Amino acid sequence: MAEFTMELSDEQKEVRDWLHGFAADVIRPAAAEWDEREETPWPVIQEAAKVGIYSLDFYAQQYFDPTGLGIPMAMEELFWGDAGIALSIVGTGLAAVGVLANGTEEQIGTWIPQMYGDVNDVKVAAFCSSEPDAGSDVAAMRTRAVYDEAKDEWVLNGTKTWATNGGIAGVHVVVAVVDAELGSKGHASFIIPPATPGLSQGQKFKKHGIRASHTAEVILDNVRVPGSCLLGGKEKLDARLARAREKAKQGGERVKNAAMATFEASRPAVGAMAVGTARAAYEVALEYAQTREQFGRPIIDNQGVAFQLADMRTSIDAARLLVWRASWMAINGKPFTAAEGSMSKLFASETAKKVTAQAIQILGGNGYTREYPVERMHRDSAIYTIFEGTSEIQRLVIARTLAGMPIR
């Protein structure tokens, strides 16, 4: 187990500075353009691929950092550059992690390289879980996967929504119900290879923020995939379903709590994204307050402005510490007995919304225009309190955990 320290190693600092340089030199100058276009920033993703940021190797290295700080550090720097473009760069990682977590060695070796493509032919992948009636309530999922034993094929039908890269991805990873009686334990994940008949893009969403990231519905109409596209394989699935049925008989709530632990471990990464956006807005506001003069002096000399900046910086640092704590706990297998993962995501996401709003206030009329980036940052920040579990869901998880109640 790695000892906790507040001091980053030289290697971590080098990676952080490298990412910051890419965010400052490549992402940030392109942010306004791709926000206005509301299109996937393929040239920026390709630049990220050229330097090694858009690759499985890079994210694997950060994921296995024994301190747990690799991923949150990377997320903070990239999202400091721009949330929409950063999500376009890291979105494929959601699908890749799904395969890494559940797939066989053969599936990992076959599909993950196809998700990223190469420097000359960049690809993206999509992870499809949410549905129109199953966002926070994963047990309400309706997409079904039925096994055709005669052909050794799975047939999938349903509609996915809010899918990052949905429809434009080469490889889609789709979560579907294989045993409705087991709730979320009756779900399985499937690879949908490129150009598979029956998969199509539905509505592409025109969003309030993170507009450079493609978000759409994915329609599955009698999509047939080989049995080999079931992540983990049929034998492993059958064994898992049998265990889940037995555990459900013995104590269903225990099963649900174990599932929630998995979600808890992924939430600090979203918190780190929020910290990056908040920090970016704070830095713009600080520089503006130091250079903007009113009544013959910089506005930072006004206590009303200075105190806002003090609160902004304090909240950002507190959010980062909550994210780092949860990330360290996750990598070291420490149980989230007080829902520390949800705490980090809740506080960081709410901080991003508040700090970006304060930044607009400090810039005044200028902050309300698109001539300054804080307007975009404020729009982008709204997503953090929604995806990967809304703030209301985080509070529910925390409250029920503290009360010793089952999480449903």
Side-chain angles (χ1 to χ4, degrees):
M1 181 177 68
E3 293 213 7
F4 184 82
T5 173
M6 299 302 296
E7 180 68 25
L8 297 177
S9 68
D10 290 342
E11 183 178 354
Q12 287 173 321
K13 291 176 182 177
E14 184 177 343
V15 172
R16 179 198 61 192
D17 294 345
W18 172 55
L19 290 168
H20 185 80
F22 183 84
D25 298 339
V26 181
I27 294 178
R28 186 163 283 191
E33 175 188 351
W34 292 99
D35 177 73
E36 291 287 346
R37 292 174 64 165
E38 298 191 54
E39 296 175 359
T40 301
W42 292 106
V44 183
I45 298 175
Q46 186 171 38
E47 287 301 311
K50 287 179 180 178
V51 300
I53 294 174
Y54 186 70
S55 70
L56 175 64
D57 287 345
F58 171 73
Y59 288 106
Q61 289 173 11
Q62 303 315 307
Y63 181 82
F64 291 110
D65 179 338
T67 69
L69 302 185
I71 288 295
M73 191 172 59
M75 294 300 105
E76 180 176 338
E77 295 304 328
L78 292 174
F79 281 73
W80 172 89
D82 177 68
I85 291 178
L87 191 56
S88 290
I89 293 173
V90 306
T92 293
L94 297 173
V97 168
V99 175
L100 279 171
N102 302 298
T104 63
E105 289 187 9
E106 182 179 357
Q107 289 170 331
I108 292 169
T110 298
W111 297 111
I112 291 183
Q114 294 188 48
M115 291 181 177
Y116 288 91
D118 57 47
V119 173
N120 298 314
D121 187 19
V122 171
K123 304 291 186 182
V124 295
F127 181 75
C128 307
S129 178
S130 294
E131 297 184 2
D133 296 318
S136 299
D137 184 8
V138 294
M141 189 177 292
R142 295 181 179 178
T143 297
R144 295 290 189 266
V146 178
Y147 185 56
D148 184 341
E149 190 171 358
K151 296 184 178 180
D152 185 27
E153 291 180 340
W154 287 89
V155 184
L156 285 83
N157 284 281
T159 299
K160 294 297 182 179
T161 193
W162 311 121
T164 299
N165 298 330
I168 66 170
V171 176
H172 291 75
V173 177
V174 175
V175 182
V177 177
V178 294
D179 188 329
E181 294 183 359
L182 292 175
S184 61
K185 282 293 182 180
H187 297 172
S189 297
F190 298 85
I191 291 284
I192 313 297
T196 298
L199 184 147
S200 61
Q201 179 183 308
Q203 176 186 5
K204 177 188 175 183
F205 296 104
K206 295 182 73 66
K207 304 188 298 294
H208 176 64
I210 56 167
R211 301 198 304 194
S213 174
H214 176 97
T215 310
E217 291 180 328
V218 173
I219 312 299
L220 303 145
D221 183 11
N222 287 321
V223 172
R224 284 184 168 266
V225 297
S228 60
C229 287
L230 166 65
L231 288 181
K234 184 73 161 53
E235 184 177 341
K236 183 178 178 181
L237 173 65
D238 289 342
R240 177 168 64 81
L241 293 178
R243 289 194 303 271
R245 293 185 189 105
E246 184 61 29
K247 286 183 179 180
K249 291 178 183 178
Q250 297 173 359
E253 299 299 352
R254 199 163 64 241
V255 174
K256 292 174 183 174
N257 285 335
M260 281 307 303
T262 301
F263 292 117
E264 274 288 281
S266 68
R267 284 169 174 156
V270 179
M273 298 173 187
V275 171
T277 299
R279 189 183 111 212
Y282 159 76
E283 290 176 0
V284 172
L286 176 62
E287 181 180 5
Y288 187 88
Q290 290 170 329
T291 57
R292 171 70 167 175
E293 291 191 359
Q294 289 288 283
F295 306 106
R297 59 179 182 172
I299 62 173
I300 198 170
D301 288 350
N302 183 313
Q303 193 175 78
V305 173
F307 278 15
Q308 280 197 77
L309 289 163
D311 287 344
M312 292 159 75
R313 175 61 185 266
T314 300
S315 295
I316 291 166
D317 282 13
R320 183 184 297 109
L321 289 173
L322 283 170
V323 166
W324 282 18
R325 179 185 70 168
S327 300
W328 177 83
M329 291 176 68
I331 200 70
N332 287 291
K334 297 287 187 181
F336 286 157
T337 56
E340 288 87 350
S342 284
M343 281 186 185
S344 68
K345 196 269 184 183
L346 170 65
F347 189 81
S349 60
E350 295 289 347
T351 292
K353 286 186 70 173
K354 183 177 180 180
V355 165
T356 54
Q358 288 174 306
I360 290 177
Q361 191 68 24
I362 290 172
L363 269 66
N366 287 329
Y368 198 66
T369 71
R370 295 189 184 181
E371 295 299 313
Y372 287 79
V374 292
E375 177 271 341
R376 183 181 69 252
M377 294 168 183
H378 185 51
R379 287 189 285 107
D380 291 342
S381 71
I383 194 60
Y384 300 127
T385 61
I386 298 172
F387 68 3
E388 196 74 19
T390 64
S391 288
E392 291 74 20
I393 289 295
Q394 308 306 327
R395 290 186 174 96
L396 176 65
V397 170
I398 296 166
R400 294 183 75 89
T401 300
L402 297 178
M405 301 170 66
I407 300 170
R408 288 192 275 264

